[in-house]
Amino acid sequence: MAAANRLVVFIALISLTSSPALATDGKPLQDYCVADKGGGTRGIKTATLPMNGFACKPPQSVTPNDFTFSGLNKPGDTANPAGFKVTLVTVDQIPGLNTQGLSMGRLDFGPGGVNAPHIHPRASEMLIVMEGSLEVGFVTTLPETKLITKVLQAGEAFVFPQALTHYQRNVGKGPAVAISALDSQNPGTQRVVAAVLGSNPKLPVEVVAKALQADNNVAAQLLSKFK
């Protein structure tokens, strides 16, 4: 292969491996790396090396409890304004998830309960309805901003692409339960309305008013609802 062609291939490989589309949790290079909560934590430097995730617990101190979580059989308390409760299982609950690129959650909905529009910046999600009926949907990016939505019954699944705004709503007469799986040990959650109206410090009233195409008084009133 000519030197020029080798250079083109090299540049193409670098572009692929650095592509945002491939920017997910890295593959483990060992059997496991149980999170050492007493060592490095996300974003905190250990010695001179910035860490993205957790340092590994010494193998001799690893126990079965590092790979175990109990509680997904227990209903979440939906007695709140949203009528919704999520029980998350991430690396914070199971240290053995560190470097495994996986987390999950149990979602409980009271009648009319809503998991308000939100995104997971670091993960795609698959949701399976275990009980009841859920309306689910996500919104594509600009310029289409198309809403893709469906009503799911028990036993049906739905996929939410990474970092797209999505929601779930209980449209049945009784409670609803779902299980979700995400392809990151720490998927992150940002609620759309709370991010705009509940940031700390607050976004300027003028910015919110322009975003909502409303006057400043309406924007100020909405901002005041989020302390």
Side-chain angles (χ1 to χ4, degrees):
M1 182 183 295
N5 288 340
R6 287 197 297 269
L7 179 60
V8 170
V9 172
F10 176 74
I11 293 173
L13 288 173
I14 292 296
S15 299
L16 283 173
T17 55
S18 62
S19 167
L22 300 177
T24 184
D25 290 9
K27 297 294 185 183
L29 300 177
Q30 51 206 355
D31 289 346
Y32 54 78
C33 174
V34 173
D36 184 356
K37 299 301 184 65
T41 56
R42 291 186 296 275
I44 298 178
K45 291 186 177 181
T46 299
T48 58
L49 180 66
M51 298 196 66
N52 185 26
F54 291 92
C56 300
K57 188 176 182 181
Q60 61 271 23
S61 63
V62 170
T63 72
N65 288 337
D66 290 319
F67 301 91
T68 305
F69 175 83
S70 299
L72 288 178
N73 60 321
K74 299 176 181 178
D77 184 6
T78 60
N80 55 64
F84 166 77
K85 175 68 176 180
V86 60
T87 304
L88 284 175
V89 186
T90 69
V91 67
D92 290 322
Q93 287 73 41
I94 302 182
L97 283 174
N98 193 39
T99 77
Q100 298 299 316
L102 176 69
S103 59
M104 65 185 305
R106 171 179 171 142
L107 289 68
D108 286 276
F109 299 81
V114 172
N115 186 8
H118 61 284
I119 67 170
H120 300 298
R122 294 180 289 274
S124 303
E125 177 181 4
M126 174 176 279
L127 178 140
I128 303 172
V129 178
M130 307 301 293
E131 176 185 340
S133 301
L134 286 181
E135 175 190 286
V136 302
F138 65 85
V139 180
T140 64
T141 55
L142 293 169
E144 291 85 4
T145 55
K146 179 179 179 181
L147 174 62
I148 297 177
T149 183
K150 184 176 176 64
V151 174
L152 303 180
Q153 308 299 332
E156 294 185 313
F158 195 83
V159 173
F160 303 103
Q162 181 173 343
L164 292 188
T165 301
H166 60 283
Y167 75 97
Q168 301 99 30
R169 178 169 70 105
N170 184 0
V171 293
K173 295 182 179 180
V177 180
I179 297 292
S180 69
L182 304 103
D183 64 341
S184 172
Q185 69 183 47
N186 180 38
T189 299
Q190 185 178 60
R191 299 203 172 274
V192 176
V193 174
V196 174
L197 300 179
S199 65
N200 183 23
K202 295 283 191 180
L203 287 171
V205 169
E206 296 79 6
V207 172
V208 174
K210 289 289 188 182
L212 299 179
Q213 299 181 22
D215 63 40
N216 287 358
N217 291 332
V218 171
Q221 184 178 9
L222 291 172
L223 284 163
S224 70
K225 293 181 179 294
F226 288 79
K227 304 299 183 183

